Amino acid sequence: AVAIFTGRANCPYYAKAELLADYLQTNLPNFKVHKITQHPDKWEQWLHDICETNGWEHRQSPIIWRELLDRGGKGQLLGGLNDFLEYAQKYYAVTSMMLSEEMLGIAEENLQAHLEIVKDDEEIKSFIKPMQIWITSASAPICYHLIPLLANGEVFGMTTEISIHLLDTDQFKEILCSIVMEAEDMAFPLLRSISEHTEIDQAFIEADIIIVLDDVLLNLEAQSLENYIREVSEICQMYAPLIEKNAKSEVKVISSGKTFANLKATMIRTYGPSIRPENIIAIATSWESAAKAMLARKLNMNTTGVKDVIVWGNITGSNYIDLSHAKLYGYDSAIWGPANFHRPLLNMIYDSEWIHSEFLSAQSTLSSRVSRCTGILPAHAVATVLRYWYHGSPSKEIISVGVLSEGQFCIPKGITFSMPVRFQNGNWEVMTELEINETTQKVLGRLSHELVQEKLVALKEIKEMHPYEAE
């Protein structure tokens, strides 16, 4: 038989009982003990449940019973401390002379030990429990390319399992099911599960990360820009309360897609005021990558050597590619240096006319390239930013991200604006130490005005459609 000792972690009577039990177990070969400590806040409910299950009547700590099999079988209630003292005296001629002060001291030690065990268990569970990732408008091609990047371990680490939830409307259910089957067939070791969802009420449950891919098919000949803005705002007005209700408090929300990336981040923040503002960002990395590739082709070098190209403004609208801080690493020239040696990009492009006439005017070409991509480029952009967010971006390297403006670089507060940031220790910070020239400052003013107007239109359209909700 085995004796089960259970009590409140800070109970002095439990402390006295367990020490006497330890003595008996040490000195009697057939006396076996199993101890269960409960947190003080959970003790009453636990005691009620165990008594109800076994048909016992017991109201205080500790509760002690015998089981005929090791941790199983029919339980025989012995009672509390006094009952156990009588039992030990009667059957083994042993009693406890522990003083009250000793009992209180050991009870405090028990409580601290219990809290440490609970903390360790929670840490272990955090490694076991997969990260919950929700992707909206998951029938989009970017999602198809994003799943392998998230599941191969390079984004979150080789010890972090993930569960992916694909959300879209019922008309895309068949596509979602196909993606789920294909992902399961690939047997990613870190992909605990992948599932499809079409019921919006159940969206974002326990979400750690939400990737918003919703887009509108812009055709300004068919309807006005204001109508598209209204459509985007209504989507965000639907998502934001669900995120607040169902997602984890520290959820990270990433806005991507081909249209209104900044506006989606702004409106989710507007309609989800309890979501941490710093946890809502828009992805600009696709523009960075396309611009770097165009510059690398001009300089006949590897794209990875082009760093610190800044994307300012509206990521999927009017933006500005700033080369004033751009650097070249490993550029084949008369001067060579170690791996960290770099040269200012503008000094290396001797054809300055190309910068003004072709590159800057070619932003429409860049826009076309970014918007026409099949999903590989934006998927890589989302995965890259997530990796930086969780593990930090390369030291001193500039990353462009759409974040909530708090007045940096004289940009109006309250809009999502793409600007230079660095990621470190799970957070990001705007690189306000960067100096910007007068020309850039004027451009930022114009871009800010456009985004402010876009936000005002969105709020106006929603207020007209839902006047009471907008209030």
Side-chain angles (χ1 to χ4, degrees):
V2 60
I4 312 296
F5 287 73
T6 303
R8 267 191 357 261
N10 63 346
C11 174
Y13 303 108
Y14 172 69
K16 186 170 184 174
E18 71 160 342
L19 282 190
L20 179 55
D22 288 342
Y23 174 83
L24 292 175
Q25 181 171 243
T26 301
N27 291 279
L28 300 173
N30 294 322
F31 190 88
K32 304 298 181 184
V33 175
H34 177 62
K35 292 180 282 189
I36 305 172
T37 308
Q38 294 293 335
H39 191 280
D41 295 342
K42 298 181 179 180
W43 166 252
E44 293 294 339
Q45 185 62 48
W46 189 91
L47 179 62
H48 174 271
D49 293 343
I50 195 72
C51 288
E52 188 175 86
T53 300
N54 291 279
W56 295 335
E57 287 288 337
H58 193 81
R59 294 291 177 267
Q60 70 275 350
S61 171
I63 179 172
I64 305 163
W65 70 89
R66 295 173 68 244
E67 290 183 356
L68 300 180
L69 301 174
D70 188 14
R71 305 189 198 182
K74 177 66 176 175
Q76 178 185 355
L77 179 66
L78 295 180
L81 173 63
N82 291 335
D83 299 305
F84 179 58
L85 291 176
E86 291 179 11
Y87 174 85
Q89 179 67 42
K90 179 179 179 179
Y91 287 96
Y92 305 112
V94 175
T95 189
S96 173
M97 304 301 292
M98 182 185 291
L99 301 176
S100 297
E101 187 175 339
E102 292 178 277
M103 292 164 58
L104 291 170
I106 294 174
E108 179 61 28
E109 290 178 7
N110 281 345
L111 177 60
Q112 295 305 316
H114 177 76
L115 294 176
E116 287 294 325
I117 291 171
V118 170
K119 181 180 177 181
D120 291 344
D121 287 345
E122 288 177 350
E123 289 182 0
I124 292 171
K125 288 177 182 177
S126 70
F127 288 110
I128 297 174
K129 190 174 183 179
M131 180 179 290
Q132 304 293 322
I133 303 172
W134 284 76
I135 305 175
T136 73
S137 194
S139 62
I142 175 177
C143 178
Y144 183 82
H145 296 286
L146 181 59
I147 291 171
L149 300 178
L150 297 177
N152 66 13
E154 293 183 10
V155 174
F156 305 109
M158 298 305 296
T159 59
T160 302
E161 292 190 342
I162 64 173
S163 288
I164 297 178
H165 304 266
L166 308 179
L167 177 67
D168 214 321
T169 57
D170 196 58
Q171 69 182 102
F172 296 108
K173 185 178 179 67
E174 188 174 337
I175 295 176
L176 299 186
C177 290
S178 298
I179 296 174
V180 167
M181 291 179 62
E182 193 166 347
E184 289 174 340
D185 289 346
M186 294 182 75
F188 294 105
L190 296 175
L191 182 59
R192 176 79 68 87
S193 64
I194 181 168
S195 54
E196 48 84 17
H197 303 265
T198 55
E199 297 294 332
I200 189 65
D201 291 344
Q202 302 301 313
F204 314 129
I205 291 178
E206 290 296 301
D208 293 287
I209 296 169
I210 298 171
I211 302 169
V212 180
L213 302 181
D214 296 74
D215 270 321
V216 294
L217 298 175
L218 284 176
N219 181 0
L220 296 179
E221 295 180 359
Q223 59 178 310
S224 67
L225 183 63
E226 287 76 9
N227 286 338
Y228 289 115
I229 290 176
R230 178 197 300 145
E231 186 178 337
V232 171
S233 297
E234 289 184 327
I235 291 171
C236 297
Q237 194 178 28
M238 176 176 59
Y239 284 163
L242 290 169
I243 295 173
E244 290 183 303
K245 176 185 175 184
N246 295 337
K248 293 180 181 174
S249 59
E250 296 295 310
V251 64
K252 292 176 169 60
V253 182
I254 293 177
S255 173
S256 185
K258 299 178 181 180
T259 58
F260 298 108
N262 294 53
L263 182 63
K264 285 183 289 188
T266 299
M267 300 315 292
I268 288 174
R269 186 177 297 113
T270 300
Y271 295 117
S274 69
I275 306 171
R276 291 183 60 184
E278 61 270 30
N279 280 5
I280 306 174
I281 66 172
I283 302 295
T285 315
S286 297
W287 278 88
E288 272 188 16
S289 300
K292 289 175 181 178
M294 186 174 180
L295 291 162
R297 283 191 291 270
K298 174 67 176 178
L299 293 161
N300 194 28
M301 64 176 294
N302 194 308
T303 306
T304 58
V306 183
K307 306 289 186 184
D308 298 349
V309 173
I310 302 174
V311 180
W312 296 95
N314 191 353
I315 296 164
T316 50
S318 297
N319 58 47
Y320 172 60
I321 309 295
D322 181 4
L323 304 181
S324 60
H325 298 276
K327 304 177 184 67
L328 301 179
Y329 290 80
Y331 180 57
D332 188 5
S333 65
I335 301 176
W336 282 83
N340 62 352
F341 175 72
H342 60 266
R343 311 287 298 278
L345 181 144
L346 293 178
N347 290 358
M348 297 296 100
I349 297 183
Y350 299 106
D351 185 2
S352 59
E353 185 61 30
W354 179 84
I355 291 289
H356 298 287
S357 64
E358 291 190 40
F359 180 78
L360 294 180
S361 64
Q363 289 197 40
S364 59
T365 304
L366 282 176
S367 177
S368 177
R369 291 175 64 88
V370 171
S371 62
R372 288 205 318 268
C373 65
T374 58
I376 298 175
L377 178 59
H380 179 265
V382 171
T384 298
V385 171
L386 273 173
R387 184 174 74 249
Y388 291 163
W389 208 342
Y390 279 85
H391 301 291
S393 54
S395 179
K396 298 182 180 179
E397 188 171 323
I398 296 173
I399 310 298
S400 301
V401 177
V403 300
L404 177 66
S405 170
E406 296 181 351
Q408 304 96 329
F409 306 108
C410 298
I411 298 166
K413 295 181 180 181
I415 58 173
T416 300
F417 199 92
S418 180
M419 58 182 84
V421 308
R422 67 167 63 88
F423 289 90
Q424 192 173 12
N425 300 323
N427 300 302
W428 54 262
E429 61 176 353
V430 178
M431 301 176 70
T432 53
E433 71 275 14
L434 293 180
E435 295 182 4
I436 59 175
N437 56 42
E438 185 178 346
T439 301
T440 300
Q441 191 65 68
K442 289 181 179 178
V443 174
L444 298 191
R446 177 176 56 80
L447 298 178
S448 300
H449 178 74
E450 291 184 7
L451 281 167
V452 168
Q453 292 302 308
E454 188 176 83
K455 179 181 178 181
L456 290 174
V457 169
L459 293 173
K460 175 177 176 291
E461 293 290 334
I462 288 296
K463 188 171 183 178
E464 290 177 353
M465 294 289 292
H466 309 282
Y468 297 108
E469 292 182 20
E471 292 296 331

